[in-house]
Amino acid sequence: MSYVDVLEVKCLDNPAKYTDDLRFKITFQCKTKTKEDLDWRVTWVGSAKDEQFDQILDEVAVPPDVGINTFEYVVDAPDPSKIPGSEVLGVTVVMVQALYKGKEFLRVGYYVKVDYADLKLRDEPPEVERPDVQLLERNILETEPRVTRYLIEWDDIGVASMAATPEQAAVA
């Protein structure tokens, strides 16, 4: 049995300028008192080819109350200088992760389309090494999250008794 069920992860202000903060509204249910806080993390995948370019945009500890909990999670946009210039535009992934005692028990991944905001630039992109991020927008494909749950040890119950398989869920 899991101590915590994530009921909803909603993307706010979407689509947005590339440089705008990312905002999520997270709702979860805590079924029993936990001994420690839950940690939440947002990770931006900087390159599909090399995870060294992944950026942890933020990590925050949230003390859960028994019952329904909701909070808004605002994180800085990714730093484009840490992403290969050829991979700033296109499709990437942003992940919202939930951890307890350092162990990830939930990951909600979203595909993100990064492109020029101006339609003319989309049709005829400039040939540059690195696009000007002031001209870009991102669109999180929030209707198709990829939700993965992991078995972890909670406080006194040992390993949770749920399947640890990827699934698509209504956590959008």
Side-chain angles (χ1 to χ4, degrees):
M1 175 182 97
S2 175
Y3 276 21
V4 177
D5 287 331
V6 177
L7 305 175
E8 181 180 53
V9 177
K10 179 129 178 81
C11 302
L12 305 175
D13 298 337
N14 187 49
K17 291 180 181 179
Y18 183 91
T19 55
D20 287 352
D21 291 344
L22 286 91
R23 295 180 51 231
F24 300 93
K25 180 181 176 188
I26 299 172
T27 304
F28 64 94
Q29 179 178 20
C30 187
K31 297 177 188 174
T32 188
K33 179 99 175 108
T34 60
K35 293 179 181 176
E36 296 182 25
D37 293 346
L38 300 178
D39 292 318
W40 296 87
R41 177 188 306 152
V42 176
T43 303
W44 183 272
V45 175
S47 171
K49 300 171 188 163
D50 192 339
E51 67 183 39
Q52 78 171 354
F53 298 108
D54 291 359
Q55 296 177 46
I56 296 175
L57 301 180
D58 190 57
E59 193 164 358
V60 65
V62 176
D65 293 323
V66 173
I68 305 292
N69 298 258
T70 299
F71 70 101
E72 190 172 311
Y73 194 10
V74 180
V75 302
D76 291 338
D79 180 348
S81 70
K82 296 180 179 178
I83 299 170
S86 63
E87 296 191 54
V88 173
L89 288 172
V91 177
T92 190
V93 173
V94 65
M95 297 178 287
V96 178
Q97 299 159 277
L99 301 93
Y100 185 68
K101 294 184 177 178
K103 301 292 184 187
E104 183 177 21
F105 66 90
L106 180 92
R107 176 181 297 178
V108 181
Y110 296 97
Y111 290 107
V112 183
K113 173 82 168 133
V114 178
D115 208 341
Y116 286 100
D118 183 272
L119 293 177
K120 186 175 179 182
L121 287 173
R122 282 186 191 181
D123 291 340
E124 299 173 30
E127 293 185 30
V128 294
E129 250 184 66
R130 178 173 295 279
D132 180 353
V133 293
Q134 299 302 321
L135 302 175
L136 303 181
E137 72 175 6
R138 64 168 187 267
N139 186 3
I140 299 172
L141 304 178
E142 63 185 314
T143 59
E144 299 183 31
R146 299 294 182 249
V147 179
T148 308
R149 291 176 173 82
Y150 300 95
L151 298 173
I152 67 163
E153 263 189 53
W154 293 90
D155 291 327
D156 298 323
I157 63 170
V159 174
S161 60
M162 50 176 279
T165 57
E167 63 185 76
Q168 190 167 344
V171 186

